[in-house]
Amino acid sequence: MSTLRKHNLLSILIFAVAALVSPSEGAPSSKTACAALTKPTIPGASVLSIQSQHLPNATVLASPPLLNSNFTGLDLCSVDLVISHHGVNDRVKIKVWLPSTGWNRRFVGTGGSGYAAGFFEYSLAPVVALGYAAASTDAGLSGDPYSPALWALHPNGTVDEDLLLNFASRSVHDMAVAGKAVAAQYYGKKPAHSYWNGCSTGGRQGLVAAQRYPKDFDGIVAGAPAIDWTRYVVAEQWPQVVMREEGTYISQCVLKSFTDASIAACDSLDGVADGVITDLQLCKFDPLSLVGTSAQCDGGRENITAEMASVVAKILAGPKGPAIAHPYALNPGAALDSLANTTIANGTRVGLPFFVNDAWIKYFVKKDPDFDTGSIGYSAFEAIFNQSQREFGPVMGSYQPDLSAFRSAGGKAIVWHGLADQLIFPRDTVAYHQKVVQTLGRNASAVAEFYRTFLAPGVDHCGAGPTPGAVPADPLSAVVAWVEEQKAPNVLEARRVEADGTVITRNLCPFPSTSRYRGAGDKSLASSYTCA
Ligand SMILES: *[C@@H]1O[C@H](CO)[C@@H](O)[C@H](O)[C@H]1NC(C)=O
Ligand SMILES: *[C@@H]1O[C@H](CO)[C@@H](O)[C@H](O)[C@H]1NC(C)=O
Ligand SMILES: *[C@@H]1O[C@H](CO)[C@@H](O)[C@H](O)[C@H]1NC(C)=O
Ligand SMILES: *[C@@H]1O[C@H](CO)[C@@H](O)[C@H](O)[C@H]1NC(C)=O
Ligand SMILES: *[C@@H]1O[C@H](CO)[C@@H](O)[C@H](O)[C@H]1NC(C)=O
Ligand SMILES: *[C@@H]1O[C@H](CO)[C@@H](O)[C@H](O)[C@H]1NC(C)=O
Ligand SMILES: *[C@@H]1O[C@H](CO)[C@@H](O)[C@H](O)[C@H]1NC(C)=O
Ligand SMILES: *[C@@H]1O[C@H](CO)[C@@H](O)[C@H](O)[C@H]1NC(C)=O
């Protein structure tokens, strides 16, 4: 047994004994006024400051896409902490919001997107309005979701490993520790249950907690999780690599023709023509079928050539190579113009790499802000794919499939992913689910007792756009019911409001089942479908 293991066992024993002799330890019983809250203890970090203030009538105005509606009349205790990790020159902000009245005895950690770990009041307002105590953190980063330029590299050009660790995992735990402790002080009792709710980077943070801090959250909602970051993000560059190597950059308009044609080819396979591909296994879409047709574009009709079709086929196939275990590729039905975006520069169509992969390759893999990702061809691609995983996989991959500690702690996770996600590959989420099953004894029903994946047909990244598919309506309540009432989600309720106000409902099916029309009944209602 290693010294480390021994040490861990020893501290577990000491904890167990301490719990026996002092059962009330850590269970405060008197409330503290908001302004009088004191610094919590955060292992591995110093709390540099705490500022707390009662906000009796707080407003958070909508700020799409971060927050789509206004929140007014919030009565809460707002707590701002600044912490710094021992031996690290970082400044991590954590904001905790505690409802003054109507606390539901729950704590929820909220996540970020892109290169931001969280968005403070924009993440907090929707859950605090529901009675949750909640926290958000910037992980000590710039807060800019679009770029890590201000934090990725030290002045000497090496990667700031400490801040990368904050972004990858550490800040999720700090926030959970801080948020729960501050809530316990304020209310005089600990939260009865703790949850995570996030999408994209927020989904990755939730699964990182299940992997590395399995006792932090009783229930986790992880939407479109950016797990396997070190591989999938490099693979997001693939469409640009193909267009460059094949010398064929395709207009957004023509890309849309391919997406539309793939939907037309596969929409009805589930028995319903609703503009949504439900069954991807049966979907056989051949881009070459569009050769000789044309697309109506702004500047007139554009002919679709064999070269364009071949490029789209290569994009949909994804990169292949000895180190590439499964397809890192968009599904038919997903918009191609995010990852394969192009623009006209000086009269010529050129590639426009997506910012997440562009920045990851520049700042982290190449450590060169001036590196031109548009120059990457097939062979350089594979080397970058390998290097990204080799150098950063252990810290940033977030793809550990052993969730046994989370299961033992009683944790429940609802993972969901839009099948028409245009940025993060749903196949990675499915592959992770399969790895979890494989790792935990190859028993899918045993895994379903604590971990379920729901795929949302026709839904784009985090359901943010006007997608034709129904988006999970309230996954947080679903995981709360699973944790607190042992009501496992046999389906995940989803809805979509049409332009004319019609509400479409669907029940998302737990992977590997998929939704099938019963053959009769209103096609806009969930009750007309079954999971098969
Ligand atoms: C709360 O703030 C809103 C504006 O944000 C204001 O209209 C309202 O009068 C305030 N309510 C109280 C009780 O102060
Ligand atoms: C939010 O409130 C602002 C100002 O009070 C208003 O202009 C805006 O339309 C509101 N937005 C939404 C989404 O309700
Ligand atoms: C670069 O700078 C960082 C931060 O000051 C330091 O920790 C690291 O050792 C330096 N690396 C090299 C190769 O100089
Ligand atoms: C597109 O194809 C049509 C029919 O084959 C042809 O007449 C036309 O010249 C082509 N347009 C362009 C811009 O190549
Ligand atoms: C593609 O690039 C154009 C030009 O920069 C931009 O306006 C557009 O938003 C991009 N499209 C997507 C889907 O990101
Ligand atoms: C367009 O051409 C000009 C002059 O050659 C050059 O300075 C500029 O960078 C070019 N723009 C792009 C987007 O390539
Ligand atoms: C990438 O890694 C795989 C597996 O280790 C190896 O077979 C392959 O040659 C590597 N490719 C490059 C370009 O380094
Ligand atoms: C798989 O797990 C289920 C649920 O825990 C259990 O009932 C069943 O016996 C297990 N099957 C096998 C083959 O171990």
Side-chain angles (χ1 to χ4, degrees), residues 61-62 68-70:
L61 289 181
N68 291 323
S69 36
N70 288 336

Side-chain angles (χ1 to χ4, degrees), residues 154-158:
H154 288 300
N156 64 13
T158 63

Side-chain angles (χ1 to χ4, degrees), residues 163-478:
L163 292 185
L164 184 62
L165 179 62
N166 285 359
F167 179 49
S169 55
R170 182 159 57 180
S171 64
V172 174
H173 180 60
D174 295 336
M175 171 169 58
V177 170
K180 290 186 210 181
V182 166
Q185 236 194 95
Y186 179 63
Y187 296 113
K189 51 185 174 235
K190 289 181 178 178
H193 293 100
S194 295
Y195 296 92
W196 177 267
N197 189 27
C199 196
S200 197
T201 281
R204 184 187 64 75
Q205 290 166 308
L207 288 180
V208 150
Q211 294 165 18
R212 298 198 179 202
Y213 305 107
K215 294 181 178 171
D216 278 2
F217 302 103
D218 305 302
I220 289 171
V221 174
I227 50 171
D228 205 11
W229 176 284
T230 36
R231 287 183 284 227
Y232 101 78
V233 167
V234 174
E236 285 185 316
Q237 181 71 28
W238 175 251
Q240 300 290 334
V241 173
V242 173
M243 290 194 292
R244 178 192 182 276
E245 282 269 350
E246 307 297 326
T248 301
Y249 291 97
I250 308 176
S251 70
Q252 287 97 333
C253 167
V254 167
L255 289 171
K256 184 169 184 306
S257 302
F258 281 102
T259 300
D260 291 347
S262 67
I263 294 172
C266 300
D267 176 1
S268 298
L269 294 173
D270 62 339
V272 183
D274 53 359
V276 166
I277 303 176
T278 302
D279 201 328
L280 284 153
Q281 296 219 307
L282 297 178
C283 179
K284 301 273 178 284
F285 166 64
D286 184 2
L288 287 170
S289 61
L290 267 71
V291 175
T293 67
S294 62
Q296 182 58 49
C297 302
D298 282 348
R301 293 202 80 85
E302 278 190 48
N303 289 347
I304 297 182
T305 64
E307 288 76 15
M308 294 173 186
S310 157
V311 162
V312 170
K314 287 187 165 76
I315 290 172
L316 291 178
K320 291 190 175 58
I324 303 176
H326 59 263
Y328 288 84
L330 299 175
N331 287 325
L336 297 167
D337 63 348
S338 291
L339 300 187
N341 205 0
T342 59
T343 190
I344 304 276
N346 290 340
T348 311
R349 192 163 283 285
V350 296
L352 217 50
F354 182 58
F355 71 87
V356 171
N357 37 298
D358 186 55
W360 177 255
I361 294 170
K362 273 184 170 128
Y363 289 97
F364 292 93
V365 184
K366 291 292 179 183
K367 300 155 191 73
D368 174 7
D370 296 324
F371 181 77
D372 175 13
T373 58
S375 72
I376 302 170
Y378 291 140
S379 66
F381 173 84
E382 190 176 302
I384 290 170
F385 188 93
N386 283 1
Q387 190 198 337
S388 173
Q389 178 61 16
R390 194 172 57 236
E391 214 173 307
F392 302 106
V395 61
M396 189 61 201
S398 318
Y399 206 63
Q400 308 262 6
D402 183 358
L403 300 183
S404 54
F406 178 66
R407 173 172 64 185
S408 304
K412 311 286 183 208
I414 291 178
V415 178
W416 73 271
H417 205 141
L419 284 174
D421 194 315
Q422 75 281 29
L423 304 179
I424 299 186
F425 313 118
R427 278 181 253 193
D428 231 352
T429 299
V430 167
Y432 180 72
H433 185 111
Q434 288 164 330
K435 272 193 176 302
V436 171
V437 171
Q438 205 176 48
T439 306
L440 301 182
R442 299 175 185 275
N443 183 338
S445 9
V447 167
E449 286 174 4
F450 80 101
Y451 184 94
R452 296 187 187 193
T453 298
F454 297 87
L455 301 172
V459 171
D460 71 1
H461 190 56
C462 293
T467 61
V471 179
D474 188 0
L476 180 56
S477 293

Side-chain angles (χ1 to χ4, degrees), residues 119-155:
F119 300 104
F120 299 132
E121 64 267 31
Y122 299 113
S123 313
L124 299 173
V127 273
V128 168
L130 297 171
Y132 291 86
S136 173
T137 181
D138 70 355
L141 316 176
S142 63
D144 180 355
Y146 298 106
S147 171
L150 294 175
W151 60 268
L153 300 171
H154 288 300

